[in-house]
Amino acid sequence: MKRKLHHYLFVFSFLALFTNCSSDVYDEYYDRPDNLEPPIFQQLEAKGNFKNLTSLITKAGYKDILGKSGYWTMLAPNDDAFTKFFQEQGITDVSKIDDATASKIVRYALVYNAFRTERMSDYQSTIGWEVDNAFRRRTAFYDGFVTKTINGQPKVIVGSNRNNFNGSNYYVAGDNNNKYISYFTQEYFAAKNLSSYDFNYFYPSAKYTGFNILDSEVTEADIVAENGIIHATNKVQLPLVNLDQYLESKPQYSLFRDILEKNLVTYPFNQDATNAYHNFTGKSDNVYVKVYDQGLSFSPNNENYLKQADNDGQSQLYTLIVPEDAAMQKFINEILLKNYTYDKLPKYIFQDLINAHMVQNAVWPSKAATYNNALNENLRFNFNSDITEAKILSNGFFFGSKIVQKSNLFYSVYTSAYLDPKYTLATRLFNDGSGLKEMISNIKTKYTLFLPSDAKLRALGYDYDINHSYWVYTDPATSVVATGGNARTRLLRILYNGIIPTPNNELNNLSGSGIIRSGEQDLPGEYIKWNNNKVYAAGNESGGTTVNVTGYEDQQNGRTYYVDNLLQFTEEPQGLKIKRLSETAGSQYLSFFNYLKNSLIYDAASGKIQGVDLGTYYTFIVPNNAAIAKAVAAGNLPASPTTTLQGEKDLIADFIRYHILVNKTASDDGFTTGQVETLRKNDGEKTYITVQSTPGTLSFVDLKLNKANYIPAQSNNLADRSLIHLVDNYLTY
């Protein structure tokens, strides 16, 4: 079991006024204890193998700080480490290191607060120590202000020190955006189920020892000093760049960076930063903060992680996976600009593309398949073959890739609308919280999408009012205008009619005929029909219109059909549809309708059936003429539909109600089976029949086990959220 030592490195001084005591007694009382270890600087000197480091500490102006009080962890490269460093830098000795580099080395080796080995893997949270949940610590180094040319003008820039989640809180005065340093302990790796593979993925030439500072080894741990702890290492570490800085330095990722810099970065003036710059330098330049768009999962120049707690950067960092230019160019040419020109792409597309490559925590290579990106998609990279480089930076893991994330948004039927300016109205509704975007962009589920253009939607009365931020519907027949929720609900219902789950590509051939249900299993839509490359919904049938397919596009999760009309819903009562079915020559619906139209529950003027509401799901089971005659012979219906006897009128009403199923639309697809409630009540109690359905069959069974089988050629008639079936028997209650 891991030891947890409680140690105290602070020396507390209590000031008091002593009277009538000698100076010797006073000095003896407040003298530094003999058994107290020397401060960090003196300890390093006494060790004898840190001469180069102490020289740099002096040059950097930190001798006084480290030679007195304080509370630090010093990650101290020994003299052997400097010998290798001199060779790498092409210099002869420590005197050739300038003041600026000396300061970088010292400050990046200096961690706030003192941590023994047994505490290095623990996270300092607001509720106390979280055991084995940390692999990073904040250092004394930060970048500060830099001068860059922005849009042709030199400007003093500072990086944002917060993530820009709300459009304003991206810079906090007094926070220097200190860089973090990462380390890897045996305890942390064991707790997170990691191994040397994860270390060597980033550092293939280094040796994992169970206590590494970046790619260096800790050669001597837990050297106690008066003002902290020293861990000796065998490598000199220069401050790491952050994700933003690394991208800027690597031309092989220029296309990805251009998308960020040109579309998702701004440089607002900041008075607090300007004041700090004036006080620090004495110069009068204005200072601008480099701010990343608030729609991104994180700001690549923010060193502070989420800053939901002061120390949350100890336990996490960001991950950015960046495609190389060749992969990005192919994606831009074949996907992004298939229908758009670059200058017309909406900003949300750039946001989504970058977020597809962002993860708001550390992606360890051995567990890459378990992480989701900022779009809540699983990472679709093979970390053995797709990743071309892996870097641990000051605020994140960086992975270079030879492919682009195959994001749902760019490879699904949703993409057909999303990446085409002719379909912005449909895209807007998909995106506005309806849930349709998440549904049809799921590349693990196949769909067929019937997609109407903006021009067709506007021609049929639908539009979006940008100035008032609401949907508008103008009835083409009456010019009556509906706005807001009513207009949105209408259009949502129409678009949902055009989203069909097709796991087996059921609609890839529309040359035949058939019927199929739209929507998801948990939230069924309405049934639509097709015949010889024409498509119909209930409103098209009642209105005498058709929907013609004008083209199609295959995506990874299905097919998008481009159409010249809308899959309209109907607003007429179901009774009118039954009436029309009864009016054809030799209609098998005639006998049933004769009883319906003369019943207590039918309004002949409107076609409304009492208890049947528009917008609710129903199934109408209509016995054919022979079945009605059979019911009459058995006494389950009176002989005359126009009877004047109240008891016989009630019998007719109950007979009709029992042949109407509520809240379910049953067809011959196997989706609706089991007991289903009818419209009839028995002394206030619900009554039921059993639906039996498999693909190609449909039957209805009453409690006496009488079965009514549907007659396929005359069934599956569309009405408002309803199907009307002709059956070969009647049902009894």
Side-chain angles (χ1 to χ4, degrees), residues 179-430:
K179 288 184 178 290
Y180 280 72
I181 192 166
S182 297
Y183 51 85
F184 315 99
T185 64
Q186 180 180 352
E187 292 87 350
Y188 179 83
F189 269 34
K192 303 300 180 183
N193 197 26
L194 305 174
S195 70
S196 59
Y197 172 84
D198 295 281
F199 175 82
N200 290 123
Y201 195 93
F202 295 101
Y203 303 117
S205 300
K207 178 184 177 183
Y208 174 65
T209 64
F211 190 8
N212 296 80
I213 310 297
L214 297 175
D215 58 341
S216 67
E217 301 172 23
V218 174
T219 58
E220 186 179 0
D222 299 330
I223 303 170
V224 179
E226 177 183 346
N227 55 351
I229 297 291
I230 302 166
H231 301 297
T233 72
N234 67 348
K235 185 173 181 179
V236 177
Q237 301 286 358
L238 288 169
L240 295 178
V241 295
N242 59 38
L243 294 165
D244 172 83
Q245 294 164 330
Y246 191 75
L247 263 183
E248 184 178 7
S249 70
K250 294 294 178 178
Q252 65 265 42
Y253 308 111
S254 62
L255 291 177
F256 187 91
R257 183 172 183 267
D258 280 349
I259 290 174
L260 280 167
E261 295 292 321
K262 294 177 180 178
N263 304 285
L264 301 172
V265 168
T266 56
Y267 293 88
F269 165 76
N270 187 276
Q271 188 63 59
D272 288 336
T274 299
N275 293 341
Y277 181 73
H278 291 179
N279 294 335
F280 183 70
T281 66
K283 298 179 181 179
S284 59
D285 304 75
N286 288 331
V287 175
Y288 303 83
V289 180
K290 183 175 185 180
V291 179
Y292 279 87
D293 190 85
Q294 68 187 89
L296 295 181
S297 174
F298 57 80
S299 297
N301 59 351
N302 172 30
E303 307 276 2
N304 280 313
Y305 192 54
L306 301 182
K307 208 65 175 181
Q308 293 173 342
D310 185 56
N311 290 318
D312 61 5
Q314 292 181 350
S315 63
Q316 277 296 352
L317 45 64
Y318 315 121
T319 296
L320 186 64
I321 306 173
V322 181
E324 295 174 340
D325 282 353
M328 276 302 300
Q329 191 64 67
K330 187 174 188 294
F331 174 82
I332 290 170
N333 293 344
E334 296 179 2
I335 305 294
L336 207 59
L337 301 184
K338 186 174 182 179
N339 299 297
Y340 270 105
T341 58
Y342 192 89
D343 60 314
K344 299 297 184 182
L345 279 168
K347 186 171 77 168
Y348 61 76
I349 292 178
F350 294 122
Q351 292 170 332
D352 288 339
L353 176 58
I354 300 301
N355 276 325
H357 296 83
M358 285 182 156
V359 182
Q360 212 180 63
N361 47 44
V363 173
W364 294 101
S366 67
K367 304 165 74 99
T370 67
Y371 296 94
N372 286 351
N373 64 15
L375 301 179
N376 202 32
E377 305 166 339
N378 61 301
L379 295 181
R380 292 158 192 170
F381 301 91
N382 185 323
F383 271 61
N384 293 321
S385 59
D386 295 332
I387 303 303
T388 55
E389 71 164 329
K391 298 289 182 184
I392 294 177
L393 304 177
S394 63
N395 66 344
F397 288 170
F398 179 94
F399 297 100
S401 171
K402 58 185 180 184
I403 66 167
V404 174
Q405 164 84 356
K406 284 192 174 296
S407 169
N408 296 353
L409 304 186
F410 299 102
Y411 293 92
S412 62
V413 293
Y414 167 78
T415 308
S416 300
Y418 175 69
L419 288 181
D420 194 327
K422 296 190 295 294
Y423 303 96
T424 60
L425 290 176
T427 302
R428 181 181 290 277
L429 190 59
F430 291 156

Side-chain angles (χ1 to χ4, degrees), residues 109-127:
L110 198 57
V111 168
Y112 287 101
N113 300 327
F115 301 100
R116 289 181 179 268
T117 304
E118 63 267 13
R119 280 298 187 202
M120 287 293 282
S121 62
D122 298 343
Y123 167 45
Q124 286 180 299
S125 75
T126 55
I127 60 172

Side-chain angles (χ1 to χ4, degrees), residues 379-526:
L379 295 181
R380 292 158 192 170
F381 301 91
N382 185 323
F383 271 61
N384 293 321
S385 59
D386 295 332
I387 303 303
T388 55
E389 71 164 329
K391 298 289 182 184
I392 294 177
L393 304 177
S394 63
N395 66 344
F397 288 170
F398 179 94
F399 297 100
S401 171
K402 58 185 180 184
I403 66 167
V404 174
Q405 164 84 356
K406 284 192 174 296
S407 169
N408 296 353
L409 304 186
F410 299 102
Y411 293 92
S412 62
V413 293
Y414 167 78
T415 308
S416 300
Y418 175 69
L419 288 181
D420 194 327
K422 296 190 295 294
Y423 303 96
T424 60
L425 290 176
T427 302
R428 181 181 290 277
L429 190 59
F430 291 156
N431 290 358
D432 77 348
S434 64
L436 299 189
K437 172 184 176 180
E438 292 74 17
M439 178 180 172
I440 63 177
S441 66
N442 178 6
I443 62 173
K444 296 179 180 179
T445 304
K446 282 195 169 185
Y447 292 96
T448 297
L449 175 67
F450 293 95
L451 183 62
S453 67
D454 292 352
K456 180 51 62 177
L457 286 169
R458 290 187 174 112
L460 294 177
Y462 293 94
D463 207 347
Y464 187 80
D465 188 323
I466 296 292
N467 296 324
H468 296 93
S469 299
Y470 57 56
W471 290 95
V472 177
Y473 171 64
T474 305
D475 190 319
T478 64
S479 297
V480 173
V481 177
T483 61
N486 289 336
R488 178 183 178 275
T489 298
R490 292 182 64 90
L491 183 55
L492 184 62
R493 185 173 173 183
I494 287 170
L495 292 185
Y496 203 59
N497 271 345
I499 299 173
I500 321 296
T502 47
N504 300 306
N505 302 317
E506 288 87 344
L507 295 181
N508 275 17
N509 184 356
L510 297 176
S511 61
S513 63
I515 185 170
I516 196 166
R517 192 176 72 182
S518 66
E520 292 188 300
Q521 184 70 23
D522 293 339
L523 184 62
E526 300 169 55

